[in-house]
Amino acid sequence: GTDLRWRLRRDPLMVVMVVSTAVVIAAIGGINVIEVFFIRETLGSSATMYGLVSAAWMAGMLPGGWLGARLAGRFEDDAALVRGVLLCLGVCSLMVVLAATVPAAAVLVPLWLVGGAANAGENVFANLLTARRVPEAMRARAYASYGAAVQGGSMAGFLVGGALLAAVPPRPLIAGAGVLGLLVVLVFVPVVIRAVRRADHQPADRQAVGPSAGLATSGRPAEPQPDAGVTVGPWLSASHARGSGTSSS
């Protein structure tokens, strides 16, 4: 049937969501490598403080996921979910920029709480967008494609961050990663606008026959299935595969 003809590249909103998330993660993913040196050496904090700072990101995800779910339920328009993803990525990048200015590690805790909340919101919006726009028979493929892009971006960030750390102090590296993440978000703003226009020009019947067929529903998008899980690890490393365990970068 038409469900099996669904392809990610044919859905402009899904494409821009996947690509923007992966690129931002690649831009700021190096913070995973840099963070321990920044806290322990640059800021001169203890191992206990490093643990508290690391836990703050995950702690922020708890209320962030709840708030994201409350907000996402009010978004009738799929384009609003894509804008929400981009906004959350921008907030995460901004928190990284601000982290480079802190005088003590304790100041990182509130920043990481906000960043974690934005991270959770991004995951909620991305998961709901996938559930709305992808036919049920092809959602496993969609989640796998998204997870592969996100994890690939995370590994790229690890590699670049580790290589640069050998030559550049942690503080400017953190600032550079955050600024680069913000620039990526700004670059994708017009891309999102164009993607929304392309989506608006698609046939009204979202199960239209032909090369563009394959969206999940006609009319109001489908609600996500209860078992469509979202698991995340620190710093935007996300896996949306059903039944997967927590993915930690």
Side-chain angles (χ1 to χ4, degrees):
T2 59
D3 283 0
L4 298 181
R5 294 207 301 269
W6 179 87
R7 293 294 183 272
L8 176 65
R9 64 179 179 273
R10 296 178 183 173
D11 189 332
L13 293 182
M14 286 293 296
V15 169
V16 74
M17 185 270 290
V18 172
V19 174
S20 62
T21 303
V23 176
V24 171
I25 291 172
I28 67 176
I31 192 69
N32 289 279
V33 182
I34 304 166
E35 183 184 32
V36 60
F37 298 98
F38 180 59
I39 294 174
R40 297 283 284 134
E41 297 179 4
T42 303
L43 300 178
S45 295
S46 65
T48 301
M49 179 56 69
Y50 169 70
L52 290 174
V53 172
S54 299
W57 187 274
M58 299 300 293
M61 295 184 71
L62 296 175
W66 175 83
L67 180 60
R70 293 292 296 269
L71 293 175
R74 301 178 181 179
F75 292 162
E76 298 289 337
D77 184 6
D78 291 348
L81 292 174
V82 181
R83 297 186 188 101
V85 167
L86 206 60
L87 177 61
C88 289
L89 293 173
V91 172
C92 290
S93 299
L94 178 61
M95 294 304 103
V96 175
V97 173
L98 296 178
T101 67
V102 301
V107 186
L108 290 173
V109 173
L111 297 180
W112 268 208
L113 288 172
V114 175
N119 186 173
E122 182 273 331
N123 280 309
V124 169
F125 298 151
N127 188 52
L128 181 56
L129 182 72
T130 303
R132 280 182 173 182
R133 298 189 67 83
V134 180
E136 182 178 1
M138 300 302 291
R139 282 178 195 161
R141 176 180 293 183
Y143 285 127
S145 299
Y146 181 51
V150 168
Q151 297 297 341
S154 179
M155 289 187 288
F158 264 65
L159 178 63
V160 174
L164 292 177
L165 192 59
V168 184
R171 192 183 292 273
L173 274 182
I174 291 177
V179 170
L180 184 58
L182 286 175
L183 290 176
V184 170
V185 170
L186 291 176
V187 167
F188 269 93
V189 168
V191 178
V192 169
I193 295 174
R194 288 195 296 269
V196 171
R197 290 173 179 170
R198 288 179 58 194
D200 288 343
H201 291 159
Q202 289 178 341
D205 183 359
R206 304 182 79 177
Q207 299 220 19
V209 177
S212 63
L215 293 182
T217 61
S218 58
R220 177 180 172 84
E223 296 299 328
Q225 292 184 332
D227 61 342
V230 182
T231 57
V232 294
W235 292 110
L236 299 165
S237 173
S239 170
H240 294 266
R242 288 193 182 111
S244 62
T246 300
S247 169
S248 177
S249 58

